[in-house]
Amino acid sequence: MGIEADTPWHGLPDYEVLARLQADIGGLSGAEAAARLGVHGPNSLPVSRGVHPLRRFLAQFNSALIYFLLAAAAGATVLGHPIDAAVILAVVLVNAIVGFLQEGKAERALNAIRGLIAPHAHVLRDGHRQSLPVEGLVPGDIVLLEAGDRVPADVRILHARGLSIDEALLTGESVTSEKQEQAVAADASIGDRSNMGFSGTLIATGQAKAVVVKTGVHTEIGRISAMLQQVESVSTPLLRQIDRFARRFTWFVLAGSVLLFAFAVLARDFEWTEALIAVVALAVGVVPEGLPAVITITLAIGVQRMAARKAVIRKLPAVETLGATSVICTDKTGTLTRNEMTARHLHLPDHRLEVSGSGYAPLGSFAAIGHDDDAGALAAASGLIRCGLLCGDSLLHEQNSLWHVDGDPMEGALVALAMKAGLSPDHVRAEWPRIDTIPFDAAYRFMATLHRAPDGGALLLVKGAPEALLAMTGASADFWEPRIAEAASLGERVLGFAAKHLPVAPDRLAFTDLDRGIDFLGLVGFIDPPRDEAVAAIAECRAAGIAVKMITGDHKATALAIANQIGLADDPQVATGAEIDALSDEELIPFAAAVSVFARTSPEHKLRIVRALQARGAIVAMTGDGVNDAPSLKQADVGTAMGHKGTEAAKEAADMVLLDDNFASIVSAVHEGRTVHDNIRKVISWTIPTNGGETLAVVIAIAAGFTLPMTATQILWINLVLTVTLGLVLAFEPPEPGVMNRPPRKPDAGLLSPFLLWRVVIVSTLLAAAALGVFHWSLRNGEDLQTARTMVVNMLIVGETFYLFNVRYLHAQSITWRGVQGTPAVLAAIAAVVVAQLLFTYWPPMHDIFDTRPLSLADGALILAIGVGIMLLLEVEKHALRRLGWFDEVR
Ligand code: ATP
């Protein structure tokens, strides 16, 4: 294909553009597109490569704590303690490796998920409208563009309707540019090429059909640069909070260590090198340096689990916020309902009909209601049925004897209706060719088309919300409103139809053409059954103390009927957009809290509703799909866009994208969000007392002036073993039973709740007491210092291991048999700890490195018994606290 790189596409008439691209207005064939993809390559920009692994690895060493450790290692070497120096270096290295691997894992998980919501484009291929990933576009493809989409490649516009594009990305111009299909001067600058759409720019209004002229790096945006993919950084408010805490804590520990060292040497006559090394080891031990990495991993696992349940997180903080969600605002069509429409009832001035059949299969018959002249009633409906077929853009096609819609499901149902009435869509469309269109817009809620009539005149057709059409046509509201209400109260979605004959055909359709002389033809009621999963998910929300609000563009009665079918609330209160308009922002606050169904709303109402709910401290998840939903999605705490129905603009504004557009997936994500939050708290409530117990034991020894219960290398060993084993497993914990049976957590509650602090104090004390207890007990029994110290190390590790089981169930009644069995992650980690401790205790080389001694069976049994004792004691404590009702978490 002879496409020259610098062809001035904007300067050529459209037929010339198509000819040069060897393209056809009906689209390319799949085979031709595949061949062109081979020549031109994918329509994507080279991804900027991330940070080099070596640099990421080195970055792990960049912290105050590590500098301090390296200095300590150097000091130890100089002072003639090469083993201590080597162990310190090993700790540094292992920490860096673990951090590096965890970070890499988190990043890979997030990248994989980004691929799930790669943008799609509507393309005509093999004569069908299809939704394809934009990478697959080739020059010559015919694309259909709509408000809210990003232009998928550089395109020449062939037909535009009310099209304007925000090109700030390319031109820096903040006003949107109006677009049209006529050729412009060949030397026009980018900003003046009003018949071109440029890759990456955002369609603000209207619709268009266009042909792709350039893809990938050949596009304007590709030429400017290959960036523009902002990768969200792996950070959240929580992580930053922890990071800040860890950094401050490090300095605090350093200062404390200096004081402790001075005290040990000056007041307690410790040998200064021994004291120095011990204090350094303690400082290393007490700082929870692994915590940020484990929390990142916990978040990343949450993101992966959510993706498996069809909720793709775009912004990491949403993982945390989801767990605190207290209100979910959801739209109706497609989210709570299946968005599989079937026309069921027809209401005409003199007849009513019921249509049989299901789905989009064009099989079914018409039965008159109230009399038995079915043929007469169908004849009376023919104008309305034809209007439904012509005034729409959707197509039906059959694949493996299943019928599918390309385009809007309600319009698809109208095509099926026409086919049931014996009309051939192709034939009717050819007989009444379309001249012009006013596309549907949720702002005015109708769509209009203009057709050339076989008699040389024209036919203007309108379909839309019945209220809008009654107002437009002046038809009798007294007559029609009861019929609308009747259909809507069945949960049917009701659409009105109107038409006007014109003696001569104009070549454009304007809003002023809709002013007078239009006849109201009648109504069609569509069924759109609720999703079964939505019913269960709503019940789950109610158990979890989460309010659900339906915010829909549909009719009040339809919305209410569906709300009742799915059990949205016991006695759902309904309000319309018009009622919201009548309220001030202040008045809306209690109103929004009380009402659970908002009907006939527009995107501006959504924004006001979110703000009103947030004013009362609610954490709001809000769904949206249109270009105008972006502000409310940004305002919401968890903006949620639809993966299928959603526009690119909505997805970009959202924190989360639902791959299946399903309400139940939001609830699954909340469930996972709560689990993530629980797991983070578990990680913290396990990690901090580990460090606390060791520290306390050594500080008590120094303060009381007796022999240190552990050497520096032993302290480092404990940290090393625990960091790489048990420290990680809590990130993988499955949800506790009953996560969705408690109210949402308070959004302002800090991570270090009173309960957590209590736990830290109690557990640190127990561990320190156990460690010092076995130390003195074995010394008193005549064991040597090395054996006593080996017991202390084992005691701390065993105590921590048993404590893990207490932490695994923060909420549940108590440890159950299943709980004790553990997850594979828990069991693997425990096996690793056991192996490490057996080596530490019984393998001769370890005796040289760590100055340990083998323990007798009785000593080992004692340690295990104390470990079990600590675990049981903490269970009793949990029961007692529950009785006392001191802390919210254990109630
Ligand atoms: P939800 O917000 O729950 O998805 P919705 O799909 O009904 O509800 P909109 O898409 O804003 O919300 O539609 C609002 C109303 O506009 C519909 O109830 C219907 O009366 C009318 N309408 C929707 N789609 C079309 C269309 N393609 N042509 C004409 N009228 C339409």
Side-chain angles (χ1 to χ4, degrees), residues 682-724:
K682 289 174 187 180
V683 165
I684 294 176
S685 53
W686 184 81
T687 310
I688 296 186
T690 323
N691 302 342
E694 302 170 350
T695 314
L696 202 59
V698 173
V699 170
I700 290 175
I702 292 179
F706 57 74
T707 326
L708 290 182
M710 287 167 285
T711 66
T713 47
Q714 289 169 348
I715 295 177
L716 292 169
W717 167 260
I718 297 178
N719 286 313
L720 194 63
V721 169
L722 294 181
T723 308
V724 297

Side-chain angles (χ1 to χ4, degrees), residues 331-333 408 410-411 440 442 445 447 463-465 493-495 551-554 600 645:
D331 55 12
K332 171 179 70 71
T333 311
D408 182 71
M410 193 169 61
E411 293 184 353
F440 172 73
R445 298 200 180 95
M447 161 174 183
K463 77 176 196 307
R493 192 179 157 102
V494 191
L495 206 61
I551 306 186
T552 175
D554 212 336
R600 289 295 190 228
K645 266 205 319 183

